[in-house]
Amino acid sequence: MTDTAAPSYAPSYVDPARPPRKKWRLVRGVWKFLVAIKDALVLIAMLLFFGLIFAALNARQSTTAIKDGALVLDLNGSIVEQPEEQAAFAALSGQSRTRQFRLRDVVRSIDTARTDARVKVVVLDLDSFGGAYPAALGEVSDALARVRASGKPVLAYATAYTDGGYRLAANASEIWVNPLGGTIFMGPGGNQLYYKGLIDKLGVNAHVYRVGRYKSFVEPYTRADQSEDAKAASTALYGTLFAQWREAVAKARPKAQIAQFMTAPDKVILSANGNIAEANLRAGIVDKLGDRTSFGRRVAEIAGSDANKPAGNYTAIKYDAWVKANPLPTAGDSIGVLTIAGEIVDGESGPGKAAGKTIEKAVLDGLAKKTLKALVVRVDSPGGSVMASEQIRLAILEAKRQKLPVVVSMGGLAASGGYWVSTPADVIFAEPGTITGSIGIFGVVPTFENALAKIGVTSDGVKTTPLSGQPDITGGTTPMFDAIAQAGIENGYRQFISRVAASRKMTPARVDEIGQGRVWDGGTARQIGLVDRFGTLQDAIDEAAKRAKLDPAKVHAEYLEKKPGFLATIAQGFGNDGDDDAGGGDAFTHVAADRRQMLARAVGDMKRLATSGSIQARCLECGGMGPTTAGIGDAKLLDLLLARIGF
């Protein structure tokens, strides 16, 4: 018989200060999770750090001396008064973006190329040109004409020219087009989206309060089609601007048979068996047919090339390097230049939007230095918030209180709120193609009581006064609120009228007659007294210097705008090496791209209606003649919308 040890049932000793094993597992798990988060954050930070270094190296302009060659203006985007600030990490994330070129930089680059012996030829690459307002196109075209008149060649190339692109190319010594491309001129105009049917189906009530017979900005939300008044005003505006386009093209290329492409393009193209490029050549609209390689060989004949590189290469001077090598002058007395570009909005914003608080600060900070001898206000805006417009106007008046001359220079457009901020001027300059006027205001308040009722949601409550809870977006507005809102809009219009009347030395009745929300071209605006003279920004600076009793040749422009930060500078330069070719496609590809941009702007308009202040001074017609590329925010919003619905 063997002895077996009895099992021990004695409990093991447990340290009361020691937590149970399950709790230790939980603590260790949490710790591992926190360490993983820390490691991930460190990895992300390192990736961003090295990405920024890479971006900075790519964005940094070459410091080597500029050599003889062709100045290449690869205008793969739109020309604007003030480019929007790029998101700092957009390039690192691989997001595609459309570039915006600052008008004054483009003009300066062309003018300096005219007199610089290192530039043998100016090359216009317009394959992906995104357009500009007529006044901006005119200013760039005039600069190109000066180069051509000096005897220096200007060569233009595109697969297909837009109307705006051809406005520039017409001033070239040689216009090239791809044999498989070609240009069909569209002219201004086209359909505008109207949302009344959609709004009704959704059960949304758009309560509109407005003054101005021609104030048509709200029509897409209240009608299914364009009113007769709005149609008549747009017909007159577009007709005048299109006539200016035809006149400018005819002056630059008198032998080009443009008329037949306007009246019967089908006959011209069919007679060429559908070969649009050949039809363009026969009509003298272009000078040469050829692909990029052939065009490159032609440029190389003038600018030189590198025998070790592929066929079609030529010695190029890049636009960004040229602009950097030709900075704005800084000698002499300072003339402040305040830029009011883009939609006028409340609060603060970056470049490309005219934010009331931001611009007010720029003006007051500039005046506080006590070095400015005069103030030039450069306006390129379709308007926006009335409150922000008044905030900007009062800031400009501070310059007048300090006895500084104030001169307004209107760019592509200065309409509605853009005209409101122009009223403090001693003198107003514009271009014949400037879009201005639109003196009128409106307000829109959407309510959703019908939409909620469709899903069985109603609203009720206690009101202590007739205006309690108004405007009620869930229950609708009351007749009393509607009456007060309309009275407020009418009062705002009277203030607008009085400011214009005092500025232009007219009676309020006369301003009301030419106001009513009517949009005018710059030539007509001068005839009816809304502007004083034709001229560029430089003409306005010269006038401001004279009014300050200074020699215009001995002053410089000091731009009162926030300098881009480090990250924004990197984002702006990253990817702008000009090596990628975003162009291509036939004429119909370019037309389709333009329609997509129109859709993006429409989506952006709907967002702005829902998020902007309710009282607005904004112009609808202005968008029909501007850049064909949508703003950065509108393009992103469209991409997001299409992604959500599966496109």
Side-chain angles (χ1 to χ4, degrees), residues 210-548:
R210 72 170 184 173
V211 179
R213 175 181 172 186
Y214 301 98
K215 200 63 182 175
S216 58
F217 192 89
V218 297
E219 286 190 358
Y221 311 100
T222 62
R223 296 177 57 95
D225 58 1
Q226 192 175 32
S227 70
E228 290 303 318
D229 285 337
K231 189 169 292 186
S234 294
T235 299
L237 175 67
Y238 292 168
T240 299
L241 294 176
F242 193 37
Q244 292 176 2
W245 182 92
R246 293 197 301 269
E247 181 181 351
V249 169
K251 180 181 178 181
R253 296 188 69 82
K255 295 182 180 180
Q257 300 170 28
I258 297 290
Q260 57 184 333
F261 275 85
M262 303 297 179
T263 57
D266 56 332
K267 294 181 180 179
V268 181
I269 294 169
L270 289 174
S271 68
N273 294 319
N275 190 327
I276 301 175
E278 182 64 33
N280 293 159
L281 183 65
R282 291 179 185 178
I285 291 171
V286 301
D287 301 303
K288 302 284 185 181
L289 304 184
D291 60 8
R292 281 192 174 274
T293 301
S294 300
F295 178 74
R297 287 194 181 102
R298 172 64 181 127
V299 177
E301 292 175 3
I302 307 171
S305 63
D306 187 341
N308 297 320
K309 291 185 177 181
N313 84 88
Y314 53 87
T315 307
I317 303 170
K318 293 185 177 181
Y319 169 80
D320 291 320
W322 185 254
V323 170
K324 184 178 180 182
N326 293 275
L328 290 166
T330 57
D333 290 309
S334 300
I335 303 294
V337 179
L338 175 70
T339 302
I340 302 173
E343 178 189 5
I344 299 177
V345 298
D346 297 308
E348 299 179 343
S349 184
K353 281 194 176 181
K357 189 173 182 180
T358 301
I359 293 180
E360 177 189 51
K361 185 176 187 303
V363 176
L364 299 182
D365 287 351
L367 294 174
K369 296 177 182 178
K370 304 298 182 182
T371 58
L372 302 182
K373 305 301 182 182
L375 180 66
V376 172
V377 182
R378 177 68 167 180
V379 183
D380 192 75
S381 172
S385 164
V386 169
M387 289 293 293
S389 299
E390 178 65 3
Q391 186 176 16
I392 293 170
R393 186 189 76 89
L394 293 175
I396 296 170
L397 282 175
E398 185 60 32
K400 300 194 78 168
R401 292 190 188 95
Q402 296 186 20
K403 309 301 182 184
L404 269 62
V406 174
V407 177
V408 163
S409 169
M410 292 181 172
L413 70 163
S416 212
Y419 197 89
W420 186 299
V421 300
S422 302
T423 54
D426 300 320
V427 60
I428 296 177
F429 283 80
E431 299 280 5
T434 296
I435 301 170
T436 188
S438 192
I439 299 169
I441 66 174
F442 67 90
V444 181
V445 177
T447 62
F448 305 93
E449 65 275 17
N450 294 336
L452 292 174
K454 289 182 179 182
I455 58 174
V457 178
T458 57
S459 63
D460 196 8
V462 174
K463 287 85 173 176
T464 56
T465 73
L467 293 178
S468 292
Q470 290 294 314
D472 187 349
I473 63 170
T474 62
T477 61
T478 64
M480 181 181 292
F481 174 83
D482 291 339
I484 293 173
Q486 181 62 34
I489 294 296
E490 292 174 1
N491 178 61
Y493 180 66
R494 285 193 295 271
Q495 292 187 45
F496 201 163
I497 291 291
S498 66
R499 283 158 175 67
V500 176
S503 172
R504 308 312 302 159
K505 296 180 173 54
M506 298 179 182
T507 64
R510 173 56 179 162
V511 178
D512 181 50
E513 181 183 347
I514 62 178
Q516 294 291 322
R518 182 73 179 262
V519 182
W520 306 97
D521 64 277
T524 306
R526 184 181 179 186
Q527 294 175 7
I528 62 179
L530 289 179
V531 302
D532 298 298
R533 305 180 197 174
F534 292 148
T536 64
L537 173 60
Q538 187 57 54
D539 294 324
I541 293 172
D542 292 346
E543 175 65 20
K546 293 175 184 176
R547 288 175 175 264

Side-chain angles (χ1 to χ4, degrees), residues 543-592:
E543 175 65 20
K546 293 175 184 176
R547 288 175 175 264
K549 297 181 171 51
L550 299 172
D551 183 351
K554 297 179 180 179
V555 301
H556 74 274
E558 183 174 330
Y559 288 88
L560 308 180
E561 54 191 29
K562 181 182 178 182
K563 302 292 188 259
F566 172 71
L567 294 179
T569 303
I570 289 176
Q572 183 179 8
F574 184 68
N576 287 338
D577 55 11
D579 293 335
D580 56 333
D581 177 19
D586 57 21
F588 301 101
T589 302
H590 285 249
V591 172

Side-chain angles (χ1 to χ4, degrees), residues 54 150 226 395 428 636:
F54 177 72
S150 72
Q226 192 175 32
I428 296 177
K636 287 182 179 179

Side-chain angles (χ1 to χ4, degrees), residues 177-189:
V177 73
N178 191 292
L180 298 179
T183 293
I184 302 175
F185 300 107
M186 310 300 292

